[in-house]
Amino acid sequence: MTSLEQALASILELIEKAKAAGNSLALATLTARKHAICAALAAPEQH
């Protein structure tokens, strides 16, 4: 697993915790990070 994939897994766990806690600010921040990591993983140089 690459460092980006590890970061994504961590972010996904934190998103679930933020949802459970009702923390909308953290959820928005984490979702933005998730999108950035997904975009980086989808970049051609990652393949």
Side-chain angles (χ1 to χ4, degrees), residues 5-22:
E5 291 168 334
Q6 290 172 343
L8 180 58
S10 176
I11 296 262
L12 292 173
E13 288 179 21
L14 291 171
I15 285 173
E16 290 305 314
K17 289 179 183 178
K19 282 181 185 177

Side-chain angles (χ1 to χ4, degrees), residues 1-44:
M1 186 179 287
T2 68
S3 61
L4 277 177
E5 291 168 334
Q6 290 172 343
L8 180 58
S10 176
I11 296 262
L12 292 173
E13 288 179 21
L14 291 171
I15 285 173
E16 290 305 314
K17 289 179 183 178
K19 282 181 185 177
N23 188 340
S24 59
L25 180 59
L27 187 58
T29 301
L30 292 165
T31 300
R33 288 183 185 176
K34 179 186 84 168
H35 290 300
I37 292 171
C38 287
L41 286 169

